[in-house]
Amino acid sequence: MDGVVKTSILTAISAITVYAGLFLYLNGGDNENTKKKNTKNKKKKNKLKTTSILNTSSSSSSSSSSSSSSSSSSSSSRSSSDDLDIPYGSSNSINSENNNSRNKFFDGEDDDSHEISTSSSSDDFTQNSPRTLQDHLKILKSDDLSNLMAIKKLDSVHVLLSIVSYSESLALLSYLNSLSIVVDSLNSLLALEMISANQNTLIRQLGLLLGNLLQYPENHKKIMETRFIPTLVNLINDDDAERSDFSLFCLFNLSSNEECGTEIILSQGIKEIISLLESKKANISLKKQCLHILLNMYLESKNLREMISSENEQLINVLKIIKQTQKNDLSELASKILQIDTDHQNLINTNDFNDKTIKPLYIDEEDEEDDE
């Protein structure tokens, strides 16, 4: 009996120990997981503390070292910054920015310093402002005829006028087809019924630019293709003296070309010149330009001389009056033109006389048969 009791007690004890062992095993695993998590969090906190300590120590050490060595290295740092064109003290600002960005990173803040800002008005202005000849010509090519755009086009015309005096730039502008762009702009503005003061100034400046472009011989053929010469002829007696001035400037540069001179005559250019020479309102400079145009065409070719003098007796009479009454450059120019016209008429008369007096040296076959 005693043996049975002992065995039962032992089995109960062993069962209790097994259950206790299982309970401790399960609770012990959970405790280990929590311990691992706690150790990881402690490690992260320790890292953050060490990095902040390093940053503060590096900044303090750099500040102390810089303060201690400022008296000895100030001259060398200034000379090196002058040689490299770097503002004095910029390296310190760069280091401070790097430290700030580092601190922001470890503090968990977002760093957007890499993004480019396009909101400033100065950047927009520099991006939109013209920088090359193509940019200025693109502005002139715009169909916008508003007053504000006229001001912008005026700026571009002034830039082109400042460089057009160089022969190399004339060739380049001709290659960029600038003449047709200027002519199209003039046609668009002249077609407007109401013109503002800025638009009127733009017309004058474009006409002046066109006259300079026509100094380049390659542009003479291009102006013929645009059929703009009749428009220039119509502007000779315009109420605006400056429009008349730039039209005569353009025609003067064209009058040394026979084809362009022919187009001027066919566009009633001689008639417009006569009316300006007879006008009492026109100033002497405009009349002088008219006489230079006539002189160029008289000197250019025989065909132009015949086209001018054959049907324009009124022009000869006007030139004679200018020669007799004016005592300035106009009289000299008029006398030169009259002398060339007189020589031309004498040559024609002598040729006609020779054609009439010289008999043919051949005998017709019909006359020979009659003699037989």
Side-chain angles (χ1 to χ4, degrees):
M1 188 71 178
D2 293 331
V4 173
V5 171
K6 287 181 180 179
T7 56
S8 62
I9 292 170
L10 290 172
T11 55
I13 291 170
S14 63
I16 291 169
T17 55
V18 169
Y19 286 116
L22 290 172
F23 179 77
L24 291 173
Y25 176 77
L26 294 173
N27 290 331
D30 294 335
N31 291 328
E32 286 180 359
N33 290 329
T34 55
K35 286 180 181 179
K36 287 181 180 179
K37 290 181 180 179
N38 292 328
T39 54
K40 286 182 180 180
N41 292 327
K42 287 180 180 179
K43 286 180 180 179
K44 288 182 180 179
K45 290 180 180 179
N46 291 329
K47 284 183 181 180
L48 292 174
K49 288 180 180 179
T50 53
T51 52
S52 62
I53 291 168
L54 287 173
N55 288 328
T56 55
S57 63
S58 63
S59 61
S60 62
S61 63
S62 63
S63 62
S64 62
S65 63
S66 62
S67 62
S68 63
S69 62
S70 60
S71 59
S72 62
S73 63
S74 60
S75 60
S76 62
S77 63
R78 286 178 183 173
S79 62
S80 62
S81 64
D82 293 336
D83 294 336
L84 298 175
D85 294 334
I86 299 173
Y88 183 70
S90 61
S91 59
N92 293 330
S93 63
I94 294 171
N95 290 329
S96 64
E97 289 178 359
N98 290 332
N99 290 330
N100 291 330
S101 63
R102 223 180 264 152
N103 293 329
K104 287 180 181 179
F105 176 77
F106 285 113
D107 292 338
E109 296 180 4
D110 292 333
D111 187 11
D112 296 333
S113 60
H114 62 281
E115 295 182 0
I116 299 173
S117 175
T118 58
S119 61
S120 61
S121 60
S122 61
D123 292 339
D124 293 338
F125 178 77
T126 54
Q127 289 177 1
N128 295 328
S129 60
R131 298 179 180 179
T132 62
L133 290 178
Q134 290 89 337
D135 293 338
H136 291 288
L137 292 173
K138 189 180 293 184
I139 291 173
L140 294 182
K141 199 174 181 180
S142 174
D143 295 331
D144 189 357
L145 301 177
S146 63
N147 195 34
L148 292 175
M149 193 63 185
I151 297 173
K152 193 172 183 179
K153 288 183 178 181
L154 269 174
D155 294 336
S156 296
V157 172
H158 290 155
V159 172
L160 296 174
L161 281 172
S162 64
I163 64 171
V164 78
S165 58
Y166 301 98
S167 58
E168 295 83 1
S169 62
L170 278 174
L172 178 59
L173 288 171
S174 177
Y175 174 77
L176 295 174
N177 202 22
S178 58
L179 186 135
S180 62
I181 295 173
V182 173
V183 169
D184 291 340
S185 299
L186 281 170
N187 281 327
S188 299
L189 290 168
L190 291 172
L192 296 175
E193 295 181 358
M194 300 294 293
I195 295 178
S196 64
N198 289 324
Q199 290 171 339
N200 192 31
T201 304
L202 179 59
I203 290 174
R204 298 169 181 171
Q205 296 301 313
L206 284 171
L208 184 61
L209 177 60
L210 178 61
N212 282 280
L213 292 174
L214 290 176
Q215 296 179 26
Y216 191 58
E218 295 295 328
N219 286 328
H220 292 174
K221 184 177 180 180
K222 293 181 179 180
I223 195 71
M224 290 283 293
E225 295 173 354
T226 61
R227 300 183 182 276
F228 193 67
I229 292 178
T231 303
L232 292 172
V233 171
N234 292 331
L235 291 172
I236 290 176
N237 289 287
D238 195 271
D239 295 333
D240 190 345
E242 294 190 20
R243 291 190 186 185
S244 178
D245 184 37
F246 80 69
S247 68
L248 291 172
F249 177 44
C250 295
L251 294 174
F252 170 76
N253 289 326
L254 293 173
S255 60
S256 58
N257 182 286
E258 184 174 359
E259 293 182 1
C260 294
T262 303
E263 185 68 21
I264 293 171
I265 295 171
L266 295 176
S267 301
Q268 304 298 318
I270 303 301
K271 181 180 178 181
E272 295 293 332
I273 288 174
I274 292 171
S275 62
L276 191 143
L277 292 174
E278 292 179 336
S279 175
K280 295 181 181 180
K281 295 180 180 179
N283 56 42
I284 294 175
S285 63
L286 295 178
K287 294 182 179 181
K288 188 176 180 179
Q289 290 186 74
C290 288
L291 294 176
H292 276 296
I293 293 170
L294 290 173
L295 183 60
N296 279 348
M297 289 193 289
Y298 263 101
L299 293 172
E300 177 59 28
S301 68
K302 178 182 176 182
N303 293 329
L304 293 178
R305 287 194 294 270
E306 291 178 353
M307 292 179 69
I308 295 170
S309 61
S310 61
E311 299 179 357
N312 290 288
E313 295 181 359
Q314 184 182 359
L315 173 63
I316 302 302
N317 294 330
V318 171
L319 292 174
K320 289 179 179 179
I321 294 171
I322 293 173
K323 180 182 177 181
Q324 294 173 359
T325 58
Q326 301 291 338
K327 295 181 180 180
N328 46 31
D329 295 338
L330 297 181
S331 61
E332 294 179 3
L333 290 170
S335 62
K336 288 180 181 179
I337 296 171
L338 288 172
Q339 184 62 44
I340 296 172
D341 185 76
T342 301
D343 295 339
H344 176 67
Q345 293 298 331
N346 292 334
L347 182 61
I348 292 174
N349 294 331
T350 54
N351 289 333
D352 292 340
F353 178 76
N354 290 331
D355 291 338
K356 292 178 181 179
T357 55
I358 295 175
K359 295 180 179 180
L361 298 176
Y362 63 91
I363 301 174
D364 293 337
E365 295 181 355
E366 295 180 356
D367 295 336
E368 291 180 355
E369 291 178 355
D370 293 338
D371 294 337
E372 290 177 358

